[in-house]
Amino acid sequence: MSQTSRDAAAVVTVTAPEPPPEARKGASRVAAASLIGTTIEYYDFAVYGTAAALVLGPAFFPSGSSTVSTLAAFLTFAVAFLARPVGVVLFGTIGDRRGRKQALVLSLVLMGVATVGVGLLPTYDTAGVLAPVLLIALRLLQGVSMGGEWGGAVLLAAEHAPPGRRAVYASVPQIGPLLGFLLSSAVILPTIGITGREAFADWAWRVPFILSTLLIAVGFWVRTRVEESPVFDRPATARPAAPRFPLGALVSQYPGRLLLGIGAAVGGSAVYYLVIVYSLSYGPKSLGIPQNTMLAAASVAAGAAAAAVIPVARLADRVGRRPVILAGATGSALWALPMFGSLNTGDGLLIGGAFTVGLVLLVLMFGPIAVFLPELFPARLRYTGASAAFILANTLGGGFAPLVATWLNSHWQSPLVLGAYAGTLCLVSLACVLALPETRDKEFGL
């Protein structure tokens, strides 16, 4: 079959069996469980990103240059993104062949082990070169875990969704990255306030990592008690059979969809990580903005964005996925320069306002993409397809964003280069979404 025929077939409306009554009743509970698990996983990731911006460079990569230490710390941040495709292969295969729930539980446990491990590591002063080696190893495990988390969370919620509300249910886990960052800030800021900056840099940075033990226990308890996806809650002969190696089938059968899906999500990934991760280091170190000011500005913006996710998803259920995502990509591209330009003022209120507008515009892309990407692929490849597109976009647009931004600012000392970088990637997303079909009316059972 030609690529054109396959792509056309992928959007044909198929009438799927109605989910059983118990599955419909449990849909909200499943969405909540997906949100809790995703929040915990992104809390772990956000704690590392914030710690990398504030203290991990000197602790694990001592250098006479603060820029070199920061680059090294952000390089370990990027390393985890390089490991995410391994997670896509591993958990995508489990999720497409064995079920969404099993993959999600395993990814959560792996993230918990890696995050608590970071909090217990010796620093360079204690263990020498072994310290950064162990840090990188644990970051790789975190990356593998994240490669399986996102796809399973949005699929479990979306595949339980009542008719006409798939975008709303799929978008619920998208609140998790924002809540995870807010939760990490709610732990880090008081810890700094109680212990002081010197003690935080010396030992108290470990507290947010070790507290993850409690969160992982809660997430494990919640996820082991939710229902499996209706796609797998059928006899094996009545559900689509996944190939032995889903990623190989995905690349051979839907290469165009995969590449365009990556492009559709790359701009939002860049905006998110530049605001939530990179600005926390760049503002204090390059512009002299207090760290608390930057954390507060980013936290206010994240809170506003989290509140906007469900209303935006409802709009996507009414008017379609593409119009909402296209509006977000356009708005984000136009607002990128003013948003990062606000850093030049050093005014916390102006920065917080600019970041808030920017992250709310981001939600127009970030929310509907959770249902748009899964709808591009059939059920037998959906976990792998949605995960591969989103995770590779996160790797290219998000994982390397702090690293690229640090390099850009070492050559052009202006926050406007951050806006140019993010805005360009948002235009890439705009072009890719324009090349993809609308998927709102596609049935989700097959």
Side-chain angles (χ1 to χ4, degrees), residues 5 14 39 58 65 68 91 106 131 183 201 206 216 240 246 252 284 289 339 411:
S5 300
V14 179
T39 299
S65 167
V68 171
F91 293 108
L106 290 173
L183 186 58
R206 301 176 184 277
I216 295 296
S252 64
I289 303 171
M339 177 171 65
H411 289 76

Side-chain angles (χ1 to χ4, degrees), residues 42 46 49-50 53 77 177-178 180-182 184-185 270-281 294-295 297-299 301-303 340 355 359 362 402:
Y42 274 90
T50 304
F77 185 80
L178 299 162
F181 170 73
L182 289 172
S184 73
S185 297
V271 171
Y272 177 84
Y273 283 101
L274 286 174
V275 171
I276 295 298
V277 176
Y278 180 72
S279 70
L280 302 184
S281 171
M294 292 305 305
L295 274 170
S299 297
F340 289 107
F355 278 12
L359 289 193
L362 167 67

Side-chain angles (χ1 to χ4, degrees), residues 90-104:
L90 174 62
F91 293 108
T93 300
I94 295 171
D96 280 329
R97 291 179 61 84
R98 302 287 297 276
R100 319 310 194 194
K101 178 179 171 179
Q102 183 175 340
L104 278 174

Side-chain angles (χ1 to χ4, degrees), residues 17-31 155-170 172 230 317 321 371 375 440 442-444:
E18 283 290 317
E22 60 271 18
R24 293 198 300 271
K25 291 177 183 177
S28 297
R29 185 168 63 253
V30 170
L155 287 188
L156 200 61
E159 289 174 345
H160 277 90
R165 302 194 67 194
R166 197 158 60 227
V168 169
Y169 278 75
V172 169
D317 271 330
R321 301 16 171 159
V371 71
E375 287 171 343
R440 181 184 60 168
K442 179 187 174 183
E443 291 294 339
F444 216 46

Side-chain angles (χ1 to χ4, degrees), residues 51-74:
L54 301 181
V55 300
L56 292 188
F60 287 89
F61 306 96
S63 168
S65 167
S66 62
T67 299
V68 171
S69 291
T70 301
L71 275 169
F74 280 140

Side-chain angles (χ1 to χ4, degrees), residues 21-426:
E22 60 271 18
R24 293 198 300 271
K25 291 177 183 177
S28 297
R29 185 168 63 253
V30 170
S34 295
L35 171 61
I36 290 169
T38 304
T39 299
I40 292 168
E41 291 237 15
Y42 274 90
Y43 164 83
D44 293 343
F45 223 68
V47 162
Y48 187 91
T50 304
L54 301 181
V55 300
L56 292 188
F60 287 89
F61 306 96
S63 168
S65 167
S66 62
T67 299
V68 171
S69 291
T70 301
L71 275 169
F74 280 140
L75 185 58
T76 64
F77 185 80
V79 160
F81 285 82
L82 292 177
R84 285 187 178 195
V86 177
V88 170
V89 175
L90 174 62
F91 293 108
T93 300
I94 295 171
D96 280 329
R97 291 179 61 84
R98 302 287 297 276
R100 319 310 194 194
K101 178 179 171 179
Q102 183 175 340
L104 278 174
V105 171
L106 290 173
S107 72
L108 186 67
V109 171
L110 183 60
M111 174 62 84
V113 170
T115 302
V116 175
V118 171
L120 298 175
L121 281 180
T123 62
Y124 188 91
D125 287 343
T126 303
V129 175
L130 180 62
V133 170
L134 291 174
L135 178 65
I136 291 170
L138 291 174
R139 284 294 292 161
L140 289 171
L141 288 181
Q142 281 190 321
V144 171
S145 169
M146 290 300 294
E149 166 63 28
W150 184 86
V154 299
L155 287 188
L156 200 61
E159 289 174 345
H160 277 90
R165 302 194 67 194
R166 197 158 60 227
V168 169
Y169 278 75
S171 71
V172 169
Q174 291 293 75
I175 304 173
L178 299 162
L179 289 184
F181 170 73
L182 289 172
L183 186 58
S184 73
S185 297
V187 173
I188 289 173
L189 282 173
T191 302
I192 294 174
I194 292 169
T195 65
R197 294 187 180 278
E198 288 187 10
F200 184 80
D202 184 33
W203 61 271
W205 61 267
R206 301 176 184 277
V207 172
F209 289 95
I210 295 172
L211 284 178
S212 179
T213 306
L214 300 175
L215 298 176
I216 295 296
V218 172
F220 182 82
W221 182 83
V222 168
R223 280 196 168 169
T224 54
R225 281 159 175 76
V226 299
E227 298 89 350
E228 178 56 271
S229 166
V231 171
F232 283 84
D233 193 22
R234 311 172 185 170
T237 55
R239 64 177 184 246
R244 184 177 298 275
F245 184 50
L247 183 62
L250 175 73
V251 172
S252 64
Q253 296 175 26
Y254 299 98
R257 286 287 172 88
L258 177 59
L259 289 174
L260 289 172
I262 293 169
V266 76
S269 297
V271 171
Y272 177 84
Y273 283 101
L274 286 174
V275 171
I276 295 298
V277 176
Y278 180 72
S279 70
L280 302 184
S281 171
Y282 174 72
K285 292 183 178 179
S286 298
L287 302 175
I289 303 171
Q291 286 176 342
N292 285 359
T293 298
M294 292 305 305
L295 274 170
S299 297
V300 168
V309 169
I310 298 303
V312 167
R314 286 176 177 157
L315 182 63
D317 271 330
R318 287 199 299 270
V319 306
R321 301 16 171 159
R322 289 176 78 249
V324 180
I325 298 173
L326 289 171
T330 303
S332 295
L334 293 174
W335 186 247
L337 283 175
M339 177 171 65
F340 289 107
S342 71
L343 293 171
N344 274 326
T345 69
D347 187 303
L349 290 177
L350 286 177
I351 295 169
F355 278 12
T356 297
V357 173
L359 289 193
V360 170
L361 288 171
L362 167 67
V363 167
L364 294 173
M365 292 190 286
F366 194 63
I369 206 74
V371 71
F372 187 57
L373 293 180
E375 287 171 343
L376 293 174
F377 305 102
R380 65 189 179 87
L381 297 173
R382 189 173 293 146
Y383 199 125
T384 301
S387 295
F390 189 79
I391 293 306
L392 290 173
N394 259 224
T395 300
L396 297 173
F400 288 99
L403 200 61
V404 172
T406 300
W407 180 85
L408 287 172
N409 275 297
S410 70
H411 289 76
W412 298 277
Q413 284 91 29
S414 170
L416 293 177
V417 300
L418 306 180
Y421 174 54
T424 299
L425 291 183
C426 288

